[in-house]
Amino acid sequence: MNHHHAGLPQAQPSSPSRPRPLSAATREAVERLGPLLPELAEELAALVALPSVAFPGFPEEPVLRAAHATADLLRRSGAADARLLDIPGGYPAVYAEVPGPPGAPTVLLYAHYDVQPAPDDQRWSTDPWTATTGADGRLYGRGAADDKSGVVAHAATLRAFEGRPPVHLKILVEGEEETVSHLGPYVTAHPEMFACDAFVIADLGNVRTGEPALTTALRGTAVCDLTVTALDAPVHSGVFGGPVPDAYLALSRIVASLHDDTGNVVVPGLHHAEWPGADLAADELRAAAGMAEGVEVIGSGTVASHLWARPSASVLGVDVPARDGAPNVLHASVAARISMRVPPGADPARELELLMEHLRAAAPWGVRVEVEPVKTGQPFRADTAHPAFAAAREAMGTAFGRAAGTIGGGGAIGLVATLQSVAPGAGVVLWGAEDMAGARIHAGDESVDLAELARIVTAQTLFLGLLGDAGE
């Protein structure tokens, strides 16, 4: 079915203290959310128990179980046709359509059910695959925030409207957001499935719980693999150490060339910008990131610019012998995966080429360097003049009881640009329950604040109501 409606009615944002009148159906939907919240936590705990790591080398069975569990949750919540989409080369996505009133706009709700690994060196306080609610009101577990909270938020929104939303809904839950995704080509090949008037990407969060903010920009990604070779084979470090170069030392010098002494990325030609909105306090960043005592915030300029408008460069992994049992030799060849975050306004393919050129040029002592591209992901900048953005801001302000601000997102959601390419006139709303200050996504002790999740579900319910009411 395709209920795509040609554009949204123009809506002016209003103050949270004086919101536009809501229809009786929307008011009733919001009132239903209170009794639904305990169910929300139970559904989230059940999803957390499924270790749906879609990375290569991890078992497939838990990922497929999570896909089926997600489809079942959506069906039980009112999306009768929720089903798995066979994604060539990758894990299935979950897709559903729920019709709304004739002439209503169409909204696509996005989340993902795959999660990051939870290795022992992350030092979890609890079992990452057993949801645990703390005295702080947070539910702990891998994926509790990123992004199974988004999955249950969509299910809860369906339940609030008892499966009869005021707009036409499409729901897309990805299974490979955290790894190399195969969903983009499927979206491009089936544009009619994803045509809509507004996208809601529930895979982000506020800086602090209780302080609403819509994300207006996302950095993209540019990732490559670097291999440094200095010798035909490892040799004794005592016999040859000194005049003979070691591949790992050469790699270290190449990696160090990515930044200046202040911590700014200095790859020539990269796109840089400044964040135009409010800054983020350095002390708040230190606390949110868990920086060790005495460690400095690096780079010049504002924290917000470094997080949301400039490139960053990181070493994601290195292939060298482990310290325990390491042989007493000079390394012949070592490899590393280098990742950049690419700010809005930049072409990630071009930025990746510049990165790879820099790595080759930085090779010391004549060592051989091979650089291979791994992947790129498009950055994104939201159209804040779109009527969907105005409705989202109003809904968020009402749900949180205070005016919603705007922030950037340092992470990447590569599918957003692809989705908008098949619906270029659609507005994009970026929000979620993954607060920067406490969620610890991708790290140990990941968690979601259940009260924050409830506020996001309320905002989403109000948002659909505002769009549906405006279209009447």
Side-chain angles (χ1 to χ4, degrees), residues 117-211:
D120 292 340
D121 63 7
Q122 289 188 339
R123 295 178 292 184
W124 283 73
S125 302
T126 58
D127 176 14
W129 310 113
T130 302
T132 305
T133 304
D136 56 0
R138 302 188 71 99
L139 188 145
Y140 290 81
R142 174 57 85 222
D146 184 20
D147 179 36
K148 291 172 177 176
S149 67
V151 176
V152 298
H154 297 334
T157 303
L158 275 175
R159 291 182 184 182
F161 287 107
E162 296 185 324
R164 299 186 298 276
V167 298
H168 303 296
L169 283 182
K170 297 179 179 181
I171 304 172
L172 175 64
V173 184
E174 186 175 5
E176 295 180 298
E177 195 277 337
E178 301 288 7
T179 182
V180 178
S181 175
H182 297 80
L183 182 54
Y186 186 96
V187 171
T188 303
H190 303 84
E192 72 287 348
M193 292 179 63
F194 308 100
C196 63
D197 299 298
F199 295 102
V200 175
I201 312 297
D203 188 19
L204 291 136
N206 301 317
V207 173
R208 295 165 290 275
T209 58
E211 298 185 19

Side-chain angles (χ1 to χ4, degrees), residues 137-311:
R138 302 188 71 99
L139 188 145
Y140 290 81
R142 174 57 85 222
D146 184 20
D147 179 36
K148 291 172 177 176
S149 67
V151 176
V152 298
H154 297 334
T157 303
L158 275 175
R159 291 182 184 182
F161 287 107
E162 296 185 324
R164 299 186 298 276
V167 298
H168 303 296
L169 283 182
K170 297 179 179 181
I171 304 172
L172 175 64
V173 184
E174 186 175 5
E176 295 180 298
E177 195 277 337
E178 301 288 7
T179 182
V180 178
S181 175
H182 297 80
L183 182 54
Y186 186 96
V187 171
T188 303
H190 303 84
E192 72 287 348
M193 292 179 63
F194 308 100
C196 63
D197 299 298
F199 295 102
V200 175
I201 312 297
D203 188 19
L204 291 136
N206 301 317
V207 173
R208 295 165 290 275
T209 58
E211 298 185 19
L214 286 162
T215 300
T216 60
L218 295 172
R219 290 191 295 189
T221 54
V223 183
C224 64
D225 281 344
L226 166 66
T227 303
V228 178
T229 302
L231 304 164
D232 293 334
V235 297
H236 194 286
S237 64
V239 175
F240 294 101
V244 175
D246 174 273
Y248 186 68
L249 289 178
L251 173 69
S252 300
R253 292 175 69 95
I254 294 170
V255 169
S257 74
L258 294 171
H259 298 83
D260 63 18
D261 290 343
T262 305
N264 298 303
V265 176
V266 291
V267 176
L270 293 182
H271 179 85
H272 291 69
E274 299 299 318
W275 182 251
D279 195 13
L280 185 69
D283 286 345
E284 189 166 29
L285 178 72
R286 289 189 186 94
M291 293 171 63
E293 185 176 355
V295 175
E296 300 175 356
V297 173
I298 65 174
S300 57
T302 67
V303 170
S305 291
H306 273 273
L307 282 176
W308 303 328
R310 296 184 192 171

Side-chain angles (χ1 to χ4, degrees), residues 104-105 166-167 463-472:
V167 298
F463 172 71
L464 298 185
L466 288 170
L467 293 189
D469 293 348
E472 291 181 349

Side-chain angles (χ1 to χ4, degrees), residues 251-408:
L251 173 69
S252 300
R253 292 175 69 95
I254 294 170
V255 169
S257 74
L258 294 171
H259 298 83
D260 63 18
D261 290 343
T262 305
N264 298 303
V265 176
V266 291
V267 176
L270 293 182
H271 179 85
H272 291 69
E274 299 299 318
W275 182 251
D279 195 13
L280 185 69
D283 286 345
E284 189 166 29
L285 178 72
R286 289 189 186 94
M291 293 171 63
E293 185 176 355
V295 175
E296 300 175 356
V297 173
I298 65 174
S300 57
T302 67
V303 170
S305 291
H306 273 273
L307 282 176
W308 303 328
R310 296 184 192 171
S312 66
S314 308
V315 180
L316 300 185
V318 181
D319 291 340
V320 292
R323 180 184 61 182
D324 292 341
N328 188 17
V329 297
L330 302 179
H331 300 294
S333 183
V334 296
R337 178 156 291 181
I338 311 296
S339 173
M340 284 200 318
R341 297 291 175 164
V342 176
D347 175 4
R350 174 185 176 274
E351 305 292 281
L352 182 57
E353 282 298 326
L354 292 171
L355 171 64
M356 295 192 297
E357 288 175 13
H358 175 86
L359 294 172
R360 295 186 190 103
W365 313 317
V367 298
R368 187 168 76 245
V369 169
E370 299 172 76
V371 190
E372 297 291 335
V374 175
K375 69 173 182 176
T376 59
Q378 291 290 333
F380 174 78
R381 183 179 287 117
D383 176 8
T384 57
H386 197 282
F389 189 88
R393 197 168 210 168
E394 180 176 345
M396 211 176 194
T398 301
F400 281 74
R402 56 192 299 182
T406 58
I407 57 174

Side-chain angles (χ1 to χ4, degrees), residues 39-51 65-66 69 73 76 129-131 139 148 152:
E39 294 179 20
L40 188 67
E42 292 176 6
E43 300 286 10
L44 182 55
L47 290 178
V48 167
L50 303 173
R65 273 199 295 147
L73 172 60
R76 289 186 287 110
W129 310 113
T130 302
L139 188 145
K148 291 172 177 176
V152 298

